[in-house]
Amino acid sequence: MKELRVAIRISIVIVSVPIVTFCCLGIQFYSLWQPTLDPYILTLLSVLGCMAFIVVAGTQILYNVFTASNHLKVNSLTFVAMGVVNIIIVYCGLKFYPQYNMYIIVGTSSVLAILRQLCVVLPYVSRLLGVSCTTFYKETFLTLICCAVNTIIALAILKVCTISGWLSFTIDVVLVGVLAVLSECFLLLNAEERKKIKQLISRRK
């Protein structure tokens, strides 16, 4: 459990920072990259596609428990079931609400992934490990808090630093990323966990 918690919190830092940064600066990014298209629609579609990763940023580590404990059936069957449900919802949505086709296609899979994570994966992993079924919901809540903090940081920087081109956009991305990583390391990690991150970075170098 100790190793899982460390892995979850490090995963929150690694996964949530780039996703939240991209979502917050999406309008500016698409305005520069695709100036002839509506940046608001493109950003909304990107957020819909990424929102599942925001929720499961940390607890995606738990999928390894199924392999380690040799309990793959429930995870596999629910994955297939969600795929079938996804097809049915998208088909019905496109038939009755064709004007929202893009949002239905992108958003449905993300919503179902979130529901599967919260309703199946977290309680089932808790059962396999012999801990309370609410154990890993705390980590999910921490993920959402960190994403909220990162969003505030990104919006504050956008208020102060005006983006006029790729150079200023890159500077803002770096500022948001660095401050978000520092804030998450402060909120989530203790001294031992920070040491592990430094060791991982050192090995990569």
Side-chain angles (χ1 to χ4, degrees):
M1 285 299 297
K2 181 180 178 182
E3 290 300 318
L4 268 179
R5 288 189 184 280
V6 173
I8 286 172
R9 296 184 181 217
I10 292 175
S11 179
I12 291 174
V13 177
I14 294 173
V15 177
S16 68
V17 170
I19 290 177
V20 174
T21 302
F22 175 71
C23 290
C24 290
L25 278 72
I27 294 174
Q28 291 74 18
F29 171 71
Y30 286 119
S31 296
L32 293 170
W33 184 41
Q34 298 287 344
T36 59
L37 301 178
D38 189 333
Y40 294 94
I41 292 178
L42 293 176
T43 301
L44 178 56
L45 289 172
S46 297
V47 172
L48 288 174
C50 293
M51 64 182 182
F53 295 103
I54 293 175
V55 176
V56 306
T59 54
Q60 63 177 338
I61 293 294
L62 298 177
Y63 289 106
N64 295 317
V65 174
F66 298 128
T67 304
S69 62
N70 197 26
H71 286 81
L72 302 173
K73 185 184 295 184
V74 171
N75 181 50
S76 301
L77 290 176
T78 55
F79 185 82
V80 173
M82 286 298 180
V84 174
V85 173
N86 183 41
I87 293 172
I88 294 172
I89 292 175
V90 170
Y91 175 79
C92 294
L94 295 180
K95 184 176 181 179
F96 295 107
Y97 303 98
Q99 67 273 30
Y100 301 114
N101 56 359
M102 294 185 297
Y103 308 108
I104 293 171
I105 293 171
V106 177
T108 300
S109 58
S110 293
V111 171
L112 290 176
I114 292 172
L115 291 175
R116 177 173 173 268
Q117 185 76 5
L118 296 178
C119 300
V120 178
V121 175
L122 298 188
Y124 187 56
V125 170
S126 299
R127 179 184 171 188
L128 292 177
L129 296 175
V131 296
S132 170
C133 63
T134 60
T135 298
F136 296 107
Y137 288 103
K138 178 183 177 182
E139 310 302 331
T140 302
F141 184 65
L142 283 175
T143 303
L144 296 177
I145 290 177
C146 288
C147 290
V149 171
N150 292 349
T151 300
I152 293 171
I153 290 172
L155 295 178
I157 289 176
L158 284 175
K159 281 283 187 180
V160 176
C161 305
T162 303
I163 294 177
S164 56
W166 283 110
L167 179 59
S168 55
F169 174 79
T170 304
I171 292 172
D172 276 18
V173 168
V174 172
L175 284 174
V176 172
V178 170
L179 291 176
V181 168
L182 291 175
S183 66
E184 288 199 7
C185 286
F186 176 77
L187 288 171
L188 293 174
L189 308 178
N190 56 35
E192 179 184 349
E193 293 163 350
R194 294 189 194 107
K195 184 179 179 181
K196 286 197 174 187
I197 287 185
K198 290 179 182 178
Q199 290 173 348
L200 287 173
I201 294 172
S202 300
R203 288 175 190 172
R204 292 289 179 106
K205 290 181 180 179

